[in-house]
Amino acid sequence: MGFEWIPLKNYKRHYICLKCQKGFKRASEEDRKHSKSKDLSNLMNEYYASGSQQDIVKFINASYQKMKVVCPNCRNFMLQVHYDFEVPSQRDNKSWKRLNRTMSSKTILNYEIYIQWHRLEIQKVVANSVEFKNLKQNLVKLEKMSTD
Ligand SMILES: [Zn+2]
């Protein structure tokens, strides 16, 4: 409903453009090529495999920037939404105004999924090991970002 299909591909993400008042499903060649490295747990594994010297928040932000998608109509950045997000009809100005207020002010980066990943990983490692402390430290950092 309300989504316009951008053809080509099979791996889709859902976006909305607040300016055009439209929803888009998108998956690009780019996405497919990098779909592995963009997968959450792969991204986190990549981070920890690299020795995790980099700040986790910066790392996630940098990866997120690379995933940003522009609207095919107006070239503005779109907001990624959950796949079952109900996109209002294009003429429903009231709903779009509300979305504008609630979504554009908020960071679109969802730290919650990274927090969840860390909570699960922590359970897998030996308590108080180096990995544990690393994970714990980053978890605290991410939780702070998410409550700000
Ligand atoms: Zn647009």
Side-chain angles (χ1 to χ4, degrees), residues 9-98:
K9 2 266 165 152
N10 42 30
Y11 179 23
K12 42 189 161 64
R13 295 161 197 276
H14 294 189
Y15 298 90
I16 54 168
C17 177
L18 292 173
K19 220 169 172 188
C20 301
Q21 304 190 167
K22 261 177 151 175
F24 294 93
K25 290 178 186 173
R26 182 186 185 268
S28 65
E29 284 300 323
E30 166 101 339
D31 267 1
R32 215 160 35 182
K33 245 188 284 163
H34 299 294
S35 62
K36 260 207 165 133
S37 63
K38 282 176 180 176
D39 173 69
L40 165 74
S41 57
N42 278 310
L43 190 70
M44 287 294 94
N45 287 330
E46 188 191 312
Y47 171 80
Y48 282 103
S50 70
S52 57
Q53 294 305 308
Q54 208 185 344
D55 185 273
I56 187 137
V57 174
K58 277 188 196 149
F59 178 84
I60 292 172
N61 273 291
S63 315
Y64 198 82
Q65 288 299 322
K66 283 185 221 149
M67 288 187 245
K68 269 196 171 173
V69 169
V70 294
C71 171
N73 288 337
C74 69
R75 315 308 294 170
N76 279 299
F77 284 125
M78 297 197 282
L79 300 177
Q80 194 172 356
V81 291
H82 195 253
Y83 68 88
D84 62 4
F85 178 85
E86 287 258 1
V87 180
S89 122
Q90 199 172 6
R91 283 157 297 169
D92 186 359
N93 289 319
K94 225 168 100 187
S95 298
W96 282 103
K97 257 189 197 132
R98 199 184 58 236

Side-chain angles (χ1 to χ4, degrees), residues 88-116:
S89 122
Q90 199 172 6
R91 283 157 297 169
D92 186 359
N93 289 319
K94 225 168 100 187
S95 298
W96 282 103
K97 257 189 197 132
R98 199 184 58 236
L99 277 176
N100 239 308
R101 268 201 313 275
T102 54
M103 294 190 77
S104 59
S105 58
K106 245 189 263 169
T107 170
I108 47 171
L109 218 172
N110 183 8
Y111 288 104
E112 205 51 49
I113 51 169
Y114 297 99
I115 290 168
Q116 279 305 328

